Amino acid sequence: MSTPLERYQKLGLIESLPKIYKYPIACKELSFILREAYHQFPKNLQAIIFQDTLSAFRLLPEIQTQSAVSAVHFLLQSVEAALPKQKRNMAVTEFKHAMVAHKRRCKSHQVEKGSFQLPQDILVHIFSFLDMKSLVSVGLVCWSWNLAANDNHLWELQYDVLYGSAAKQQPVRLVEDRNDRLLQEPKDTRTITDWKGAVKGAYTGALSKKLTTNRGYCGHCKTVVWLNNSKCPNVHCGMISEIQDIKPVTAFQVVEYLLDDSVNITSSSDSDSDSEGGPVSRLWAYPKHIRK
C-alpha cells in the first residue's frame, strides 16, 4: 500500500499550478486537502503541502484569469482555517503580495490591450491541439479567441474524438454504462452543418459528467489522474475499457484518496462542485464576461 506522501506526489499538483486551465482546480484541491486532512498527515507531507500553497499564491500574477482569483481566495480561507499561526501568517503575506502583483499586471495589460493579436487562422491551428474542455475554456478569454474557438472544423475534430472517424462511414452504437448510455448514436454526418451543436447533442447521462470533469480515478492506474476527454493520460488500455474504468471524482474524494488510498465512488457528493446548473450547463454556457 502506498503512503500519503506517494499518493500526494501522484496527484501532480505542483506541476499543474503553472498551467492556466489546471490552476483553479489545483488550488481547489489544495484547499480541501488543507481543510479536511492537513493535521492528519505526517510532518514531511505537511511541509510539502505548505510549500505548494505558497507556490499557488506566487503564481497568481502569471495566470491572469478571474477563476484563478476566485480559487486563491478560496485557498486563503482554508489557509486561515487549517494552518498554525506562523505558517498562516507567512501564507497570508504571500497572498497579499500576489494580489498586489496581480492588480499591477492587470493594469499593464489594459494599457497594452489591442497592441497585438494573432491572426484567426493561426489561433484555429493552435486550438486544434486542445481537448474539448480546454477548447471551451479558451473561448472565454477574449472575443478573438472566442471566434477562433467556435470554428466549425475544430468541433468536427472533437466529434471524431467522441465517436471515432469510423462513425463518418457507418453508424455505430457505442458502449453503454449500467444505467446510462454514454453517447447517443451518431447522426448521419452528411447532414451535419453545425459541428459544435452535434458534439453538444451527443451528451447524455454518464458521459456528460465524464467529459466535463478534469479529474478521475483510473481503475487501471489505481490513482487519481488528470483527464483528457474522459481518458487517462497513461497508455494502458483501449478506448472502450478506458471510458468504463474512469470514475469522475470531486475534490473531497481526492482528500479521501490521500487519506486511505481509496475512493468511495458510490457515495460521491457534488457538494464541492460549482452550483451553476451542473457540468453540462457550465461547459456550454455562453461567456458572461468576455473582455473586448
Side-chain angles (χ1 to χ4, degrees):
M1 182 176 178
S2 60
T3 66
L5 175 59
E6 291 170 335
R7 295 194 291 274
Y8 180 82
Q9 291 171 334
K10 287 181 180 179
L11 290 179
L13 292 180
I14 191 61
E15 296 85 3
S16 304
L17 284 170
K19 300 176 181 178
I20 187 170
Y21 306 116
K22 292 183 178 180
Y23 179 89
I25 301 125
C27 285
K28 181 179 180 180
E29 290 183 4
L30 272 174
S31 300
F32 272 80
I33 290 168
L34 285 168
R35 283 178 182 267
E36 303 293 336
Y38 179 79
H39 292 291
Q40 301 181 53
F41 291 139
K43 295 292 185 182
N44 61 340
L45 181 51
Q46 287 182 355
I48 293 174
I49 293 171
F50 174 66
Q51 290 301 321
D52 287 354
T53 300
L54 296 182
S55 296
F57 289 144
R58 291 168 184 155
L59 285 166
L60 173 64
E62 305 294 327
I63 304 301
Q64 291 291 300
T65 64
Q66 187 55 48
S67 60
V69 175
S70 300
V72 295
H73 276 89
F74 185 51
L75 182 57
L76 177 66
Q77 294 175 10
S78 296
V79 162
E80 293 174 332
L83 291 181
K85 184 177 180 180
Q86 184 178 7
K87 289 184 176 180
R88 180 172 68 246
N89 291 340
M90 291 175 61
V92 170
T93 300
E94 201 67 58
F95 167 80
K96 291 178 179 178
H97 290 162
M99 288 303 298
V100 170
H102 168 74
K103 290 176 181 178
R104 286 175 178 169
R105 181 159 292 196
C106 283
K107 289 182 180 179
S108 67
H109 281 185
Q110 288 174 359
V111 173
E112 298 170 0
K113 185 172 63 175
S115 60
F116 177 74
Q117 290 286 347
L118 286 173
Q120 284 290 301
D121 58 336
I122 301 298
L123 285 174
V124 170
H125 176 70
I126 294 171
F127 293 169
S128 68
F129 296 99
L130 299 178
D131 62 21
M132 182 174 57
K133 185 69 164 54
S134 299
L135 184 58
V136 173
S137 297
V138 297
L140 304 178
V141 174
C142 62
W143 283 112
S144 62
W145 284 32
N146 180 263
L147 183 63
N150 281 281
D151 183 84
N152 208 34
H153 177 64
L154 293 181
W155 289 97
E156 182 179 2
L157 297 176
Q158 294 299 326
Y159 190 92
D160 285 347
V161 170
L162 292 184
Y163 287 108
S165 57
K168 290 193 171 184
Q169 279 74 47
Q170 57 182 1
V172 294
R173 187 185 184 92
L174 295 196
V175 297
E176 293 189 0
D177 217 348
R178 290 182 179 179
N179 301 312
D180 299 289
R181 188 184 303 169
L182 293 181
L183 286 173
Q184 294 180 2
E185 292 185 21
K187 300 178 180 179
D188 183 349
T189 55
R190 293 170 298 181
T191 67
I192 297 178
T193 56
D194 177 11
W195 287 100
K196 185 173 183 179
V199 172
K200 180 179 178 180
Y203 281 90
T204 182
L207 194 66
S208 67
K209 186 171 184 180
K210 284 174 183 275
L211 286 183
T212 53
T213 192
N214 297 280
R215 284 289 215 177
Y217 183 84
C218 177
H220 286 266
C221 299
K222 305 298 181 185
T223 187
V224 174
V225 297
W226 290 99
L227 301 181
N228 182 347
N229 279 347
S230 83
K231 301 175 187 176
C232 174
N234 303 318
V235 288
H236 47 57
C237 52
M239 182 176 175
I240 293 180
S241 61
E242 186 168 0
I243 291 176
Q244 293 174 325
D245 283 325
I246 293 293
K247 305 298 182 184
V249 296
T250 65
F252 184 81
Q253 288 173 314
V254 170
V255 177
E256 191 178 61
Y257 161 74
L258 285 177
L259 288 172
D260 60 13
D261 198 16
S262 65
V263 177
N264 189 353
I265 300 297
T266 57
S267 63
S268 170
S269 170
D270 290 329
S271 60
D272 67 313
S273 61
D274 297 329
S275 57
E276 298 176 13
V280 175
S281 62
R282 288 201 304 274
L283 181 67
W284 302 110
Y286 188 81
K288 296 179 181 178
H289 302 291
I290 297 181
R291 288 172 286 183
K292 297 182 180 179

